[in-house]
Amino acid sequence: MLFDQWASTSVADYDDARRRARLAETRFGHGWVRWGRTRRVLLRALVIPLLLGCVCAAYTAGDVAPQRARLARTEPAVLPVTPAADPRMRDTAVFDLVGLGALDSRDTVRALPSLAGLGSVWSVRYDNSGIDTKVIGDLIVKVTDAAHVDNVVLVGHSMGGVIALEVGRHLYTGSTKRLTAVMLDCTPVNLNAVRPESRNQGEELLRWTGWIPGARESRTLRLLAEMYSRRDNFVDYSSEPPGIRGDRFARTAADVLWQKLFNEDVASNGLIESQFEAIVAGGAIGDLGAMDRRVDGKPRPAIVFIRPHDPDRDPIVDDEYTHRVLIDTVGGVGGTLLVVLTRGTGHADPIQQPGEYNEVIAQQVVPFVRLEQREELTTGQAR
């Protein structure tokens, strides 16, 4: 005859005290008599750092390490884009440097065919692990020596102008090349020239990259930062509390993944950090001063500053501040400065406004650079 080993029970037989007693009898460490509760609390506490360690190990091995290895293989490069429009300008090479968040300037150069009026045009591609202006300068000397080119023009858009000034100082004071001109497009000469909103974002980036291990290489953190910066695309502020529009969130996430994470031809976190640090360092004014003094009898370079006529059209850089600094440093009587005021452009956007950029370069910048160099050569020979 078979008997059920458990007594039949019903809802009415439920006893919470009995449940608790049974749970205590079967839980881990129930047989520990001496310091049992303390030992169990300590074991539970050890689980937290163990889990965090596993997460950190997976983060380092799966996210940081592959990116770090890839970035270690990158290096700066200069890429030929457009030959000189005038055969007489073949002895001049124009090198274009892009701004914050970009890796190379080929698309920008293609939007500015007027640069060929100054010479053959090259795009500078940054080292995706960071920026070393001395290495970029040495690379420019190497390729111009190979091409038998003696004159160099540097063009820098936004933060790229800061890099162009530092590279220009290396070329002007430490090489045999003649630095014909440096063209700055909405360039902040120091951190005070960056508007407070953009300055705060950059400083927050530096804090995060300094606090979080692997932040310079991590794609996970890049995804979170990019999604946060684009939150207005998918957050519904009309509800209380604000909600998420699922379809827009998915589209935004897809854009970030394909444009910023899966795209190998995009600036890394570390490069963006290095670009912003170049502004923070504030050496542009010293570089301008160095190029305003004759070195080894070489002509001083012309300095060209392109900015919107209406400063409010540039939401990132206080162009009036940079304008004043340039006048004080390289302007005035005997100066080498040309300031070009545009009507329809914003912050360093030649790809969006190629028409006006090409017009002012062809009609104002090219004639000024040629005239300034003739005057500088004449003055140098007179001395």
Side-chain angles (χ1 to χ4, degrees):
M1 186 174 182
L2 299 175
F3 295 94
D4 188 352
Q5 60 177 329
W6 303 105
S8 59
T9 59
S10 66
V11 174
D13 295 327
Y14 175 77
D15 185 349
D16 189 61
R18 189 165 56 197
R19 179 190 66 80
R20 289 174 178 271
R22 180 61 181 166
L23 185 63
E25 292 173 0
T26 57
R27 69 184 176 184
F28 177 75
H30 69 279
W32 295 343
V33 178
R34 187 176 179 82
W35 300 97
R37 184 174 182 178
T38 302
R39 291 159 70 182
R40 284 191 293 271
V41 170
L42 290 175
L43 281 174
R44 290 181 185 132
L46 288 174
V47 171
I48 297 175
L50 181 63
L51 291 175
L52 288 176
C54 292
V55 171
C56 290
Y59 163 73
T60 302
D63 188 4
V64 176
Q67 277 293 97
R68 186 169 290 168
R70 183 181 72 84
L71 294 176
R73 296 191 298 270
T74 66
E75 59 184 10
V78 289
L79 310 168
V81 180
T82 308
D86 186 341
R88 293 173 297 177
M89 301 303 294
R90 289 176 181 171
D91 62 343
T92 301
V94 182
F95 295 88
D96 192 278
L97 300 97
V98 283
L100 191 69
L103 190 57
D104 73 63
S105 61
R106 280 174 291 183
D107 290 340
T108 302
V109 168
R110 293 186 183 107
L112 297 175
S114 57
L115 289 177
L118 293 168
S120 59
V121 186
W122 299 65
S123 167
V124 175
R125 180 183 176 89
Y126 299 128
D127 183 344
N128 214 348
S129 61
I131 293 177
D132 188 327
T133 54
K134 182 64 167 61
V135 172
I136 295 174
D138 291 344
L139 187 58
I140 289 175
V141 170
K142 181 179 178 180
V143 298
T144 50
D145 281 345
H148 305 289
V149 170
D150 295 324
N151 303 311
V152 173
V153 173
L154 299 175
V155 179
H157 306 278
S158 187
M159 180 284 313
V162 178
I163 305 300
L165 288 171
E166 190 168 340
V167 172
R169 178 173 58 82
H170 289 310
L171 295 175
Y172 183 63
T173 62
S175 78
T176 59
K177 300 298 176 183
R178 288 195 297 269
L179 184 62
T180 302
V182 179
M183 190 173 85
L184 309 174
D185 177 16
C186 298
T187 293
V189 288
N190 57 31
L191 197 58
N192 292 325
V194 181
R195 297 196 186 277
E197 302 80 9
S198 300
R199 188 188 314 161
N200 293 338
Q201 292 176 5
E203 290 173 339
E204 188 170 340
L205 168 67
L206 294 184
R207 283 195 295 271
W208 280 105
T209 53
W211 291 343
I212 302 178
R216 300 182 86 253
E217 298 88 5
S218 173
R219 293 192 172 194
T220 303
L221 296 179
R222 179 70 175 269
L223 173 63
L224 295 176
E226 292 285 350
M227 291 298 291
Y228 180 76
S229 66
R230 305 178 190 211
R231 62 190 180 279
D232 291 340
N233 293 345
F234 55 82
V235 174
D236 182 6
Y237 294 103
S238 62
S239 61
E240 188 62 40
I244 302 293
R245 297 185 176 95
D247 56 338
R248 295 187 181 182
F249 180 86
R251 285 198 301 269
T252 303
D255 289 342
V256 171
L257 287 172
W258 289 110
Q259 294 174 11
K260 302 295 185 180
L261 272 72
F262 298 152
N263 182 6
E264 300 292 341
D265 197 35
V266 71
S268 67
N269 301 358
L271 176 58
I272 295 174
E273 179 194 15
S274 297
Q275 291 172 332
F276 189 77
E277 284 179 339
I279 302 173
V280 174
I285 297 176
D287 297 331
L288 284 164
M291 289 184 286
D292 195 46
R293 298 184 293 270
R294 286 183 175 272
V295 175
D296 298 331
K298 291 192 292 186
R300 296 175 301 169
I303 306 297
V304 178
F305 181 46
I306 299 179
R307 52 154 290 193
H309 182 274
D310 179 2
D312 292 334
R313 293 184 65 90
D314 188 339
I316 298 175
V317 173
D318 183 351
D319 294 306
E320 289 187 319
Y321 179 94
T322 294
H323 191 163
R324 291 193 298 270
V325 170
L326 290 173
I327 290 176
D328 293 339
T329 309
V330 293
V333 178
T336 59
L337 175 66
L338 170 69
V339 176
V340 178
L341 302 178
T342 60
R343 295 290 178 178
T345 67
H347 174 72
D349 56 354
I351 295 179
Q352 290 75 27
Q353 300 289 338
E356 187 166 6
Y357 268 92
N358 283 297
E359 182 179 351
V360 298
I361 291 172
Q363 296 182 3
Q364 298 184 53
V365 176
V366 172
F368 172 78
V369 170
R370 293 179 178 177
L371 175 62
E372 188 66 28
Q373 280 303 290
R374 284 197 298 270
E375 292 181 351
E376 280 291 309
L377 288 170
T378 302
T379 303
Q381 291 171 357
R383 290 182 180 181

